[in-house]
Amino acid sequence: MKGSLLESLTLADARRRRRLNRLLRKMARLDPVPPSGLSPRRRAMAAVLLLVLLLVGVWRLGLTGEDRAGFPDRPADAQARPIGNPPSQEVTSTAFDFLQTQPGSSEPVTYDPCAPIHLVVDPRTMVDKGMRMLEEAADEIRAATGLSLVVDGLTDTGASPGRTATSADGSTWTPVLVSWTDPDATPRLGGMTAGYAGSTAVERDGHRWYVTGVVMLDGPQIQQTLATDGWTAARSVLMHELGHLVGLGHVDARGQLMQPTRESGLDAWGDGDRAGLAAVGRGRCIDY
């Protein structure tokens, strides 16, 4: 968890590229004559550069408007009200941060509490009993947020920039991918970075929700933590990354599991962690 982490990983969508291409063609029709001193070739290169910059901006923000991503049908397992409720907080703490907030508000972007968050697991470098470790970490998230996390099983498909927010036919949200990998396959995990995670947000009527995401885990490094510091220390790495998945950012406060660097001996949520997790569990249900 040390070093540069991607806390808000976003997923590319081919429809964004088509929309941007249409926008550029419209721009060309509105201004068909190259400006003075700019050749047609250079003008075309400038248009390509603009497209690249726009695509990078979409990747970094991870925000897909309703007209860009679209919403699938209501999930079959969605409920009419939140599936669970976060525990009431007796101790007030501000030692937490959100990865994203609603436009013009301090309220967090959250997952839909009325529908389960489905996870699939790429087990390539998974530690022994890694599925149990993931389930236990997911249980900690469930208890702290009230959100329903469902581990559906294994997949042989790893993370890729082309992974979209919806299924190929657009009927469902893509499940969250938990990928046990290593620095050779995922260079961002170099050094002391044991994992990174984040979610993709979509927007409707000015409100944003997370709908899918990725959790990347350095299997060899977590195996080393397991061997030297024990089960709960290794599990705390997964808890930290799932905290990012549901919307928490890093916080520079001792005693909190969401610190950028793991604190020796700390393997449970702190008061700030719990306050932040309770907040991301109180989101608004998606009105399909």
Side-chain angles (χ1 to χ4, degrees):
M1 289 176 285
K2 183 177 180 182
S4 174
L5 295 178
L6 179 62
E7 294 182 342
S8 185
L9 187 70
T10 60
L11 307 175
D13 191 327
R15 279 171 287 188
R16 302 175 191 165
R17 295 192 290 272
R18 291 196 295 269
R19 185 169 182 267
L20 289 170
N21 277 317
R22 288 197 299 270
L23 176 61
L24 289 174
R25 287 195 296 269
K26 289 179 181 178
M27 291 169 63
R29 288 196 297 270
L30 290 172
D31 184 19
V33 180
S36 176
L38 192 61
S39 69
R41 176 181 173 80
R42 290 190 176 184
R43 189 165 180 265
M45 292 175 63
V48 171
L49 177 60
L50 174 61
L51 176 60
V52 170
L53 292 174
L54 288 171
L55 287 174
V56 170
V58 170
W59 177 274
R60 290 293 297 252
L61 288 173
L63 299 177
T64 56
E66 183 180 3
D67 60 334
R68 278 182 282 172
F71 278 58
D73 296 334
R74 181 183 178 85
D77 53 1
Q79 306 294 315
R81 62 185 61 187
I83 296 172
N85 294 298
S88 58
Q89 290 294 114
E90 296 181 359
V91 178
T92 301
S93 174
T94 59
F96 62 88
D97 196 13
F98 301 128
L99 287 178
Q100 293 187 48
T101 55
Q102 299 294 339
S105 168
S106 61
E107 294 299 309
V109 175
T110 70
Y111 275 89
D112 177 0
C114 290
I117 304 168
H118 289 273
L119 290 74
V120 293
V121 181
D122 169 16
R124 187 174 62 83
T125 67
M126 186 167 65
V127 301
D128 184 37
K129 299 180 181 177
M131 291 296 282
R132 172 188 156 196
M133 185 179 290
L134 175 61
E135 283 283 7
E136 289 184 6
D139 282 342
E140 295 287 342
I141 293 289
R142 295 182 190 109
T145 63
L147 297 172
S148 174
L149 275 67
V150 177
V151 181
D152 290 334
L154 303 179
T155 179
D156 58 3
T157 302
S160 70
R163 196 168 186 268
T164 59
T166 56
S167 60
D169 62 3
S171 63
T172 62
W173 299 118
T174 303
V176 170
L177 174 66
V178 179
S179 181
W180 291 86
T181 181
D182 55 48
D184 289 338
T186 311
R188 187 177 292 276
L189 293 174
M192 295 300 294
T193 301
Y196 62 87
S199 293
T200 294
V202 296
E203 182 172 338
R204 170 177 281 178
D205 297 330
H207 193 86
R208 296 171 183 169
W209 289 271
Y210 293 129
V211 292
T212 188
V214 294
V215 178
M216 307 296 287
L217 301 171
D218 185 341
Q221 188 170 165
I222 294 174
Q223 177 59 50
Q224 183 177 0
T225 299
L226 180 62
T228 58
D229 299 329
W231 180 269
T232 58
R235 183 183 64 193
S236 73
V237 177
L238 277 65
M239 292 167 59
H240 177 103
E241 300 310 335
L242 291 180
H244 285 319
L245 178 76
V246 298
L248 289 190
H250 282 151
V251 60
D252 292 318
R254 288 189 61 79
Q256 310 306 317
L257 208 57
M258 295 309 296
Q259 292 177 80
T261 304
R262 188 168 67 87
E263 183 179 325
S264 179
L266 180 65
D267 55 17
W269 303 122
D271 287 343
D273 299 324
R274 293 187 180 280
L277 289 166
V280 299
R282 297 193 186 99
R284 182 192 305 179
C285 296
I286 296 178
D287 182 10
Y288 288 93

